[in-house]
Amino acid sequence: MFADLHLHSLFSDGTFTPEEIVAHGKRLGFGALALTDHDTIEGCEHMAAACAAERIDFIPGSELTAEFADHELHILGFYLNTQYPRLLSEMARFQEVRQQRIRDMVARINELGVPLSVDSVFALANCRSPGRPHIARALVKEDFCSSLDEAFERFLKKHRPAWVPKAKMSALEAIELIHEAGGLAVMAHPGLNKCDEVIPELVKSGLDGIECYHTKHSSTTAAHYLNIAKQYGLLVTGGSDCHGLSKGKPLIGGIKLPIHYVHKMQKAREKRLASGDSTSRKS
Ligand code: AMP
Ligand code: ZN
Ligand code: FE
Ligand code: FE
């Protein structure tokens, strides 16, 4: 039995509905799936229902955009209480930041002489947690760019002319918020962030795990982070980071995390709940 613990739906910048993700998961034989949309948990109730119908274990999650020591980090929260008020209010705040950033980036694109309308981006995104891929798709759809890559290269990549930095919560706040919401906090794709030096500090602040297996990690990178997980006693997670068809072929199926890692997560979560470091204490 295998799991995929990093999946995006059209509630953020993926292209599949939660139901479509589950259909792919079923076809590929997964026993457990986590939905980890950027800064939102809106898709979780849909995915929970679809997983229940297919007898797949569902883990409600999210991928929080955070920063630490000038690095952008993504912190995955797993087993989140999706009703927890402060989680909902913080997510609403960061969704507003994302929407304003879309307006700012489109304004810059307009200043560069490309008359992309912000309404067309919001219509295409059709979600509360839009991101740069939605602008890229709108640029392609309206024939201002011939590919998503061109859109990122010309406008959207860090330090390109339409790029606007995103206000983020600190990684330490993200870990605390995830714990308050009853979840486990996991550093996403550390091989892409290349800032191993921050790991000890995050561990001190309660980081529970590290995403060793990811479609953009080589086997050497995965082995490196498995060693770090062992050294710090961290949980090991893994997922495809599938965004549906947004980047060509769907990535789901690219990572098959052995289910025993999920069992370890369940135990850790129970231990954390029993220790009272969660909403069971705060609400
Ligand atoms: P945002 O959340 O707005 O910062 O956008 C981040 C999303 O953009 C992630 O899903 C990335 O995978 C995607 N992304 C970042 N750089 C590129 C790129 N050069 N080409 C395509 N997608 C990208
Ligand atoms: Zn994404
Ligand atoms: Fe990420
Ligand atoms: Fe992701």
Side-chain angles (χ1 to χ4, degrees):
M1 282 287 248
F2 299 98
D4 186 334
L5 304 183
H6 194 150
L7 296 160
H8 295 275
S9 77
L10 44 63
F11 284 92
S12 67
D13 56 2
T15 66
F16 290 150
T17 61
E19 292 79 6
E20 286 168 334
I21 296 175
V22 174
H24 283 286
K26 174 78 181 166
R27 176 177 60 78
L28 293 161
F30 281 105
L33 297 172
L35 186 65
T36 55
D37 275 316
H38 300 282
D39 300 319
T40 184
I41 38 152
E42 276 178 282
C44 286
E45 64 178 284
H46 302 270
M47 184 114 160
C51 279
E54 298 294 357
R55 295 169 184 268
I56 293 172
D57 280 342
F58 176 61
I59 300 170
S62 183
E63 181 175 18
L64 303 185
T65 316
E67 66 190 339
F68 191 69
D70 283 335
H71 295 279
E72 176 167 329
L73 296 179
H74 294 176
I75 306 290
L76 296 162
F78 293 113
Y79 299 105
L80 295 171
N81 171 359
T82 57
Q83 309 295 318
Y84 182 57
R86 200 170 79 83
L87 181 67
L88 294 168
S89 61
E90 284 296 290
M91 287 195 162
R93 194 156 71 84
F94 282 97
Q95 289 161 15
E96 180 48 47
V97 165
R98 281 179 168 275
Q99 291 165 22
Q100 186 53 44
R101 182 173 179 241
I102 298 283
R103 291 184 202 102
D104 294 344
M105 286 193 288
V106 171
R108 293 224 183 162
I109 288 171
N110 294 159
E111 282 161 21
L112 293 161
V114 175
L116 178 73
S117 95
V118 74
D119 290 341
S120 73
V121 178
F122 284 126
L124 180 147
N126 193 28
C127 72
R128 292 188 184 141
S129 198
R132 284 177 291 164
H134 294 117
I135 301 181
R137 283 182 223 158
L139 283 165
V140 172
K141 190 169 172 219
E142 314 266 320
D143 279 334
F144 295 122
C145 290
S146 58
S147 67
L148 300 176
D149 274 347
E150 186 195 327
F152 271 91
E153 287 302 325
R154 270 176 68 192
F155 300 113
L156 300 169
K157 262 172 88 162
K158 193 169 181 183
H159 303 313
R160 291 291 195 267
W163 176 76
V164 170
K166 186 165 45 181
K168 308 166 200 74
M169 73 176 92
S170 85
L172 307 189
E173 282 169 340
I175 293 170
E176 188 180 307
L177 178 63
I178 289 165
H179 287 166
E180 269 186 44
L184 297 173
V186 172
M187 186 181 188
H189 45 61
L192 305 190
N193 301 91
K194 299 193 172 59
C195 52
D196 289 6
E197 69 276 12
V198 307
I199 294 173
E201 202 58 41
L202 297 183
V203 171
K204 265 193 223 153
S205 302
L207 186 76
D208 298 286
I210 190 160
E211 188 177 48
C212 297
Y213 299 105
H214 183 275
T215 32
K216 287 194 177 156
H217 283 179
S218 66
S219 51
T220 314
T221 303
H224 170 70
Y225 289 107
L226 285 168
N227 262 330
I228 289 185
K230 201 168 171 187
Q231 185 185 343
Y232 291 100
L234 293 169
L235 295 163
V236 169
T237 78
S240 62
D241 210 352
C242 181
H243 284 70
L245 297 168
S246 75
K247 296 171 190 168
K249 204 169 146 279
L251 297 175
I252 186 167
I255 295 290
K256 290 190 159 183
L257 182 77
I259 207 83
H260 69 84
Y261 288 116
V262 177
H263 297 153
K264 285 198 187 120
M265 291 168 76
Q266 284 165 347
K267 285 210 180 94
R269 179 207 180 205
E270 281 159 21
K271 202 168 148 195
R272 190 171 274 292
L273 286 175
S275 78
D277 187 6
S278 74
T279 44
S280 58
R281 174 168 57 92
K282 305 223 173 186
S283 64

